[in-house]
Amino acid sequence: MAAENGQISSDGKQSFFLSDSHDQMGSLKETLWKYLSHWPLFVLFLALCGLLAWIYLRYQAPEYEIHATMIVKTQSNTILGSDASTSGQQSPFAGLMFPNENINLDDEIALMKSEFFLKRLVTRLHLNEQYVRKDRFRDTRLFDSLPFHIQVMHIADSNKTYRFQIRFADATHFFINQDSRPYPFNSLIFCGGSVFQIGRNAFAENPSQSDIPYEYSWVPVREEADALSKDLNIIQKNTSSSVLDFTYRTPYPGAGEQILNALMEEYIQYSVEEKSQIAQHTYAFVTQRIQMLEQGLGAMESNLQQFRKENQLLDLDQQSTQYLSSMGTLQEGLQKIEIQLQLLNMLENDIRSHLHQYNLAPTNLGIEDMTLTALIAQYNQLALRRQNELQQTTPNNPVIRRLEASLDDLQSAMLQNLQTLKHSYTLTRDQLMSQLQAIQNTALQLPAKEDELNNIRQEQLIKNALYTYLLQKREEIGIQLASIAPDGKVFSAATAGKFPVAPRKRNVAMLALFFALVLPVGIIYLKDLLNDKIVTRADVRRHCGITIIGEIGHSRGNEPLVVVPDSRDVIAEQFRILRANLMRELSAIPHTPLIMVTSSFAGEGKSFLSSNLASAFALRGQRVLLMEFDLRKPKLMERLQMPVKMGIADVLKGKAQLSAAIQQVQQVEQLFVISAGSLPPNPAELILSPQMPALINDIRKQFDLVVMDTPPVSFVSDALILGEYADLTLLLVRQRYTLCRQVEMLHELYQQKRFIRPFIVVNDVKWSGYQGYYGYGNGYDVYRYGYYAEKSARRSLWSRK
């Protein structure tokens, strides 16, 4: 028979099996086939992920990206920075009121994204008051055309969120939350200790929308500012540009444009406010001093007129021309000194009146001492910094404490410097007064009243000069305030994109497809990872070093004997292949060969293999005896549908003759069988009895081949005892049934040499498809070539997988 010729392996033994190199070359094909064989699972997950993607796209609100551009000037932009009194030269106080510092764009971006700045924006636009319409598929936030408006009367806790639902009952009433009682508009709503008042806006009556619920939420300003910061992105266009790109993502493009435009406007307004603080304070200080001087000059003019009238003084300039020329020079020096002393006194009084209050000090008064000017500029910078820090922190903050300590030191330094300057000016004044007094003493002919008149005029001139000076400074400061330009300029107003940026249908579809492929692959991989049963030929060889001598496929029929005369189905041919492989092993045995069939566990098909293997040898014309040595749970005679008579146990006990216990199988002429007989209480001791060797010898004399069907080796020792009489041992392994650890047990017994010439036979083999014996899709298909077409044609395509 051609099938019996088999394939000669490298060790000279016949083999029908694929080589290891072929298995390695087909590993990719095996893996691919393993997953493709589960195509229904992939189809299921593809439909499920597709459905979830559709639901996500249906219920997820599309997000749009809003873009805007603004230019931020990086240098000071004040028009006036010079003092008129210095003939166009830069005033030392210009940098104090209008700092000429370069602007860092990173700092400005951080400012616009800071919680402090965004809280201003949220408060300005009332973004923390949210109106939501509860639609069928998704909630929609309303910004314009509100059907009602909420007025916040009182907030109990500004760190808590207050939320309630509103439904319209009719044109003048509404329902609140689940309350079925209607309330008229302009009623007060109490929610968690806070009080709100609802008013009705213009709302067209539409019965289809009258039952739509609305939800109002008042959230903390800080929380809404944080949410706004997450969706806002500000970047510099490039490193050499002062242009900032604003990007804001929101499901509401109209509101997004409004928010971005308001953000840029708020920054422009904030930059103007910050730069004008010092100038505004100085302007107020100068105005206050001018008002005081106006009152003093008015009183002095009245006193001068009264003095002239009472003393009848005439103009004596012609008489004192010589003296006046000298006195004029001295008086001019005294006038300058007195102005400086007055300015110093006013500045000292202002500082002492606001000691430890850290208000801004007046500047640009014309004080000529540069040291004092620098101290005032440094003090104002620290005071302004302290005011900015207090907007974001508490007075007890260590930063504030350090600033206040520095300001105290600067105040002390300014007061000390003022005392030094006053002392210096006083000494100079005394010297000039001494000189003037000397000149006056030489003019004794002038009346004493004229001298007193000169003093009055001198004081009036000093105050007039100071008044004129302060008027000039006030005008300069006013012009400077009017000339303040913002640091930013809107380059491109906010514009929403025409198409949503999220969710992107393509990305969602690709993600759904990815999970539709990954999840089934993971399930299949996990299933294979947790599998602890023998599936492929490689599993057998990995866990056991015993040679595989044959494989028997799955029998779909219920016939106990598939190997009968004229049988040509697949299983019968596989037994013939097994017979051919065994004939080579049995050819060297000089006496009647005895084959023992056992396994590691019950249910692996020992009786099926034993009976059909014996039938295969009997069809060659040999007298074959099938012995049922399972003396504990015999099932062979039941499978063969033969009556149970005297058997092995009875022969060993001496209750029956061997010839009387042997029965012939009707289907096969040369096949005989001997049953287990009556079940003994001690099967192991019975097998070890002295009658056992004699029984084996008698059987060898009467038959050409003996096949023993024995119990599993994992439960009882019967098979290990009977192995001493066997010439060849077939260890049965059932695909997808036998555990890997049971095959390892057979390998341990093999290493202990408990079997004589052991070989493994794999039973119930599924050749191809998922969990195929030769791998996924690499098994040979016995139906493919049409050799068994008369039976395979009746099978469906599904049954071949």
Side-chain angles (χ1 to χ4, degrees):
M1 184 177 298
E4 295 180 1
N5 294 334
Q7 178 181 354
I8 306 301
S9 62
S10 60
D11 58 357
K13 295 185 179 181
Q14 218 172 14
S15 175
F16 187 71
F17 316 128
L18 299 176
S19 63
D20 293 340
S21 61
H22 181 79
D23 291 340
Q24 295 175 359
M25 292 175 60
S27 60
L28 180 60
K29 181 180 178 182
E30 290 180 9
T31 304
L32 181 62
W33 185 263
K34 174 177 69 173
Y35 293 107
L36 289 180
S37 61
H38 287 81
W39 65 266
L41 184 62
F42 284 91
V43 172
L44 174 63
F45 272 91
L46 183 62
L48 180 61
C49 292
L51 177 61
L52 293 177
W54 179 85
I55 294 175
Y56 173 76
L57 293 175
R58 183 68 179 85
Y59 287 91
Q60 181 68 22
E63 289 189 359
Y64 294 83
E65 201 166 70
I66 318 299
H67 295 277
T69 309
M70 184 174 69
I71 298 178
V72 177
K73 299 178 181 179
T74 57
Q75 293 184 353
S76 176
N77 51 16
T78 55
I79 295 177
L80 296 179
S82 61
D83 190 351
S85 64
T86 58
S87 300
Q89 298 180 359
Q90 182 69 27
S91 171
F93 303 103
L96 181 62
M97 290 190 294
F98 301 98
N100 192 19
E101 298 179 356
N102 292 335
I103 296 177
N104 189 307
L105 289 180
D106 291 336
D107 293 342
E108 300 305 302
I109 292 174
L111 169 66
M112 285 183 276
K113 294 193 67 175
S114 66
E115 179 182 316
F116 158 73
F117 188 81
L118 292 179
K119 284 169 67 175
R120 289 177 49 139
L121 179 64
V122 170
T123 304
R124 173 181 175 180
L125 298 179
H126 302 283
L127 295 178
N128 62 319
E129 299 183 44
Q130 302 174 1
Y131 298 81
V132 177
R133 185 178 65 219
K134 312 292 286 186
D135 294 328
R136 180 178 180 183
F137 294 103
R138 65 170 69 101
D139 296 342
T140 304
R141 184 174 176 181
L142 304 178
F143 293 90
D144 301 318
S145 301
L146 300 175
F148 60 93
H149 64 273
I150 302 291
Q151 183 179 358
V152 180
M153 308 299 293
H154 171 69
I155 295 297
D157 188 354
S158 60
N159 294 320
K160 291 178 59 177
T161 299
Y162 301 94
R163 183 179 291 110
F164 49 84
Q165 289 189 355
I166 293 174
R167 290 182 297 109
F168 290 98
D170 49 42
T172 58
H173 294 78
F174 65 91
F175 297 105
I176 181 72
N177 292 333
Q178 303 301 323
D179 194 351
S180 59
R181 179 179 52 179
Y183 293 89
F185 283 102
N186 297 322
S187 299
L188 295 180
I189 299 175
F190 298 90
C191 181
S194 298
V195 183
F196 304 87
Q197 185 180 35
I198 178 172
R200 180 68 183 271
N201 290 340
F203 181 71
E205 289 295 334
N206 189 343
S208 62
Q209 297 182 359
S210 59
D211 293 335
I212 295 179
Y214 295 88
E215 184 178 82
Y216 172 81
S217 301
W218 188 96
V219 300
V221 176
R222 174 178 294 180
E223 182 178 331
E224 185 64 21
D226 292 341
L228 185 62
S229 176
K230 294 177 182 177
D231 297 326
L232 177 64
N233 187 29
I234 307 174
I235 60 173
Q236 187 178 358
K237 196 172 187 65
N238 54 63
T239 55
S240 61
S241 174
S242 60
V243 177
L244 298 181
D245 285 335
F246 293 77
T247 304
Y248 180 59
R249 295 184 63 170
T250 176
Y252 311 100
E257 293 177 355
Q258 182 182 358
I259 290 174
L260 269 192
N261 289 330
L263 175 67
M264 294 186 291
E265 293 173 3
E266 189 69 23
Y267 172 76
I268 293 173
Q269 180 180 351
Y270 177 80
S271 64
V272 173
E273 291 176 358
E274 185 179 23
K275 291 195 298 183
S276 63
Q277 283 185 4
I278 297 177
Q280 287 176 349
H281 183 81
T282 304
Y283 186 87
F285 171 79
V286 172
T287 301
Q288 180 184 6
R289 296 305 169 184
I290 288 175
Q291 293 175 355
M292 294 175 60
L293 285 174
E294 287 177 348
Q295 297 176 0
L297 287 174
M300 185 173 292
E301 184 67 24
S302 299
N303 294 334
L304 180 60
Q305 296 296 332
Q306 184 68 25
F307 180 81
R308 283 179 175 273
K309 186 176 183 179
E310 290 178 356
N311 296 280
Q312 297 180 354
L313 291 178
L314 300 176
D315 187 6
L316 301 178
D317 293 337
Q318 187 175 3
Q319 301 175 4
S320 58
T321 301
Q322 183 180 357
Y323 300 107
L324 290 177
S325 177
S326 300
M327 292 171 57
T329 303
L330 295 175
Q331 289 177 351
E332 183 179 358
L334 285 173
Q335 178 182 344
K336 292 183 179 180
I337 292 175
E338 289 293 338
I339 290 174
Q340 293 295 320
L341 286 174
Q342 290 288 339
L343 291 174
L344 293 177
N345 287 330
M346 287 189 294
L347 184 59
E348 181 181 9
N349 293 335
D350 182 75
I351 294 174
R352 293 187 182 279
S353 62
H354 298 92
L355 199 63
H356 303 299
Q357 295 181 5
Y358 313 117
N359 294 334
L360 295 173
T363 60
N364 205 13
L365 299 179
I367 299 176
E368 297 177 354
D369 185 80
M370 299 305 297
T371 302
L372 180 60
T373 301
L375 288 175
I376 294 174
Q378 185 178 359
Y379 174 85
N380 283 339
Q381 288 179 352
L382 291 181
L384 183 60
R385 181 181 173 186
R386 175 180 174 273
Q387 292 179 6
N388 291 335
E389 292 292 340
L390 284 176
Q391 294 179 1
Q392 302 183 21
T393 183
T394 61
N396 294 326
N397 189 284
V399 175
I400 302 299
R401 293 300 188 186
R402 287 195 296 271
L403 290 174
E404 291 178 353
S406 300
L407 290 171
D408 291 337
D409 295 337
L410 288 174
Q411 286 181 343
S412 300
M414 287 189 293
L415 291 175
Q416 184 177 0
N417 189 271
L418 285 171
Q419 293 296 330
T420 302
L421 289 175
K422 288 171 60 178
H423 180 70
S424 176
Y425 281 127
T426 302
L427 292 177
T428 304
R429 185 190 63 184
D430 293 339
Q431 293 176 359
L432 293 177
M433 289 293 295
S434 298
Q435 296 176 9
L436 183 61
Q437 186 66 37
I439 294 175
Q440 291 176 348
N441 292 333
T442 60
L444 296 176
Q445 67 277 12
L446 297 178
K449 298 297 182 182
E450 182 70 17
D451 195 16
E452 187 176 355
L453 178 62
N454 288 335
N455 291 333
I456 296 175
R457 287 178 175 178
Q458 182 179 354
E459 184 179 359
Q460 185 180 24
L461 288 174
I462 292 173
K463 289 190 175 183
N464 275 327
L466 180 60
Y467 178 75
T468 303
Y469 181 83
L470 291 179
L471 284 177
Q472 178 185 355
K473 290 302 175 183
R474 185 173 68 174
E475 291 301 318
E476 291 180 2
I477 296 172
I479 295 174
Q480 289 174 339
L481 280 173
S483 67
I484 292 177
D487 291 334
K489 179 181 179 181
V490 177
F491 186 73
S492 175
T495 305
K498 296 182 180 179
F499 304 99
V501 295
R504 295 184 180 271
K505 294 183 179 180
R506 181 179 179 183
N507 294 345
V508 174
M510 292 179 63
L511 189 63
L513 180 61
F514 172 76
F515 281 106
L517 295 177
V518 169
L519 292 178
V521 169
I523 293 174
I524 297 171
Y525 176 78
L526 184 61
K527 180 180 178 182
D528 289 343
L529 188 65
L530 297 178
N531 179 46
D532 61 347
K533 297 180 180 179
I534 295 298
V535 177
T536 65
R537 175 183 175 87
D539 294 338
V540 180
R541 301 186 65 176
R542 183 167 56 252
H543 295 283
C544 185
I546 304 175
T547 303
I548 301 175
I549 200 169
E551 295 103 349
I552 307 299
H554 175 69
S555 177
R556 297 181 176 86
N558 295 322
E559 300 85 357
L561 287 178
V562 296
V563 183
V564 294
D566 299 327
S567 60
R568 297 182 58 189
D569 63 355
V570 179
I571 305 301
E573 290 303 321
Q574 290 168 351
F575 273 104
R576 291 186 175 97
I577 294 173
L578 176 60
R579 178 185 65 187
N581 295 333
L582 289 174
M583 286 176 59
R584 181 180 180 85
E585 302 295 335
L586 298 176
S587 61
I589 299 176
H591 51 266
T592 299
L594 193 151
I595 301 175
M596 184 180 74
V597 179
T598 186
S599 67
S600 62
F601 199 74
E604 294 175 305
K606 295 183 300 300
S607 299
F608 176 76
L609 177 67
S610 301
S611 58
N612 283 280
L613 180 61
S615 177
F617 277 97
L619 290 177
R620 296 184 70 251
Q622 293 179 287
R623 284 175 55 85
V624 179
L625 177 63
L626 178 60
M627 302 183 69
E628 186 180 21
F629 257 107
D630 192 348
L631 305 181
R632 302 173 188 271
K633 292 182 178 181
K635 294 181 180 180
L636 180 61
M637 300 304 291
E638 180 181 352
R639 289 184 55 84
L640 295 175
Q641 300 178 359
M642 297 178 63
V644 179
K645 299 180 179 180
M646 294 294 180
I648 296 175
D650 301 301
V651 173
L652 292 177
K653 291 178 181 178
K655 296 181 180 180
Q657 296 296 323
L658 178 62
S659 58
I662 296 175
Q663 302 180 53
Q664 183 178 0
V665 179
Q666 297 297 326
Q667 294 93 327
V668 183
E669 182 179 355
Q670 295 296 324
L671 179 59
F672 300 88
V673 62
I674 179 171
S675 67
S678 56
L679 300 183
N682 51 349
E685 286 77 6
L686 186 61
I687 296 173
L688 291 172
S689 65
Q691 291 79 14
M692 185 64 188
L695 175 62
I696 297 300
N697 291 332
D698 290 343
I699 290 174
R700 290 182 188 274
K701 294 176 182 179
Q702 299 181 29
F703 296 92
D704 299 324
L705 180 71
V706 181
V707 178
M708 291 192 303
D709 180 19
T710 64
V713 296
S714 61
F715 292 139
V716 294
S717 61
D718 298 4
L720 298 178
I721 298 173
L722 291 171
E724 298 178 1
Y725 301 99
D727 300 300
L728 186 144
T729 304
L730 295 182
L731 305 174
L732 196 59
V733 174
R734 184 175 177 181
Q735 187 194 24
R736 304 182 307 278
Y737 182 83
T738 304
L739 300 177
C740 296
R741 63 176 181 270
Q742 295 171 346
V743 178
E744 293 174 354
M745 181 194 68
L746 295 179
H747 181 72
E748 292 178 0
L749 294 174
Y750 164 71
Q751 290 181 328
Q752 297 171 8
K753 298 182 179 181
R754 302 298 299 272
F755 302 122
I756 297 177
R757 302 184 69 180
F759 294 93
I760 285 182
V761 178
V762 184
N763 188 28
D764 198 16
V765 172
K766 181 180 179 181
W767 301 103
S768 60
Y770 173 64
Q771 292 189 337
Y773 178 67
Y774 284 105
Y776 299 93
N778 287 337
Y780 64 85
D781 192 345
V782 296
Y783 307 106
R784 184 176 302 167
Y785 304 104
Y787 187 77
Y788 305 102
E790 68 275 7
K791 290 190 177 182
S792 64
R794 295 192 294 269
R795 298 187 178 98
S796 65
L797 179 64
W798 180 266
S799 65
R800 298 181 188 178
K801 294 182 179 180

